[in-house]
Amino acid sequence: MPQITVDYSAELDDAFDRPAFALALHPLVAETVDTKIAACKTRFRRAEETVVADAAGGDALVHVDISLQPGRTPETKARLTESVLELLTAHLGSVNGTALRLSAEVRDLDPSYRKV
C-alpha cells in the first residue's frame, strides 16, 4: 500500500518518462498520506487505443489511480489528487501536436485487501 496504477496512451511512449514520474510520485504520496516511500508500488499500463469524445484520434490520456488503506480524509485525498495532476503536467510538459487528457483518483482499498 499505496497501490498505484497509471494508464497511458501508447502515443506517449517516448514523451512520458515513466520511471522518473514514479520516483517523483512516491515521495509525494508518502508525504501527503503519511506513509513510507517503501510502501509505494506503481505499475504502468499502456493503452493501445484510446478515444476521447467524438474525436477519432489525436488526444492522449493519462489516468493515475491511487488506492490506499481506509482512513484518509476527503480533503487529504483531494489534495493528493491535485498534487498528482500538477506532477503529471510537469513531467509531460507539452507533447507536440497531441492534446493531453490528464486525470487522477484516490480511493480506499477494499477491506479484503491483503499483502505478504
Side-chain angles (χ1 to χ4, degrees):
M1 194 282 305
Q3 294 289 336
I4 305 165
T5 304
V6 181
D7 293 306
Y8 69 97
S9 297
E11 297 87 353
L12 296 176
D13 269 341
D14 295 332
F16 188 18
D17 186 344
R18 295 172 299 282
F21 174 72
L23 290 172
L25 179 63
H26 292 172
L28 174 71
V29 171
E31 180 180 328
T32 305
V33 302
D34 193 27
T35 192
K36 295 181 183 343
I37 292 173
C40 296
K41 296 168 282 303
T42 298
R43 65 183 168 274
F44 292 90
R45 297 187 301 200
R46 180 179 193 239
E48 294 300 323
E49 295 182 61
T50 57
V51 178
V52 176
D54 60 356
D59 291 358
L61 307 174
V62 180
H63 177 74
V64 179
D65 181 77
I66 302 174
S67 298
L68 305 169
Q69 292 283 5
R72 276 51 177 219
T73 66
E75 294 80 16
T76 298
K77 292 176 189 176
R79 189 171 68 247
L80 179 56
T81 300
E82 292 298 324
S83 296
V84 169
L85 290 173
E86 290 174 14
L87 185 64
L88 260 179
T89 301
H91 274 263
L92 284 167
S94 64
V95 179
N96 291 334
T98 303
L100 292 175
R101 307 296 180 139
L102 309 177
S103 60
E105 180 181 10
V106 177
R107 67 173 105 203
D108 290 342
L109 287 162
D110 187 83
S112 67
Y113 174 79
R114 301 289 186 274
K115 68 177 186 174
V116 270

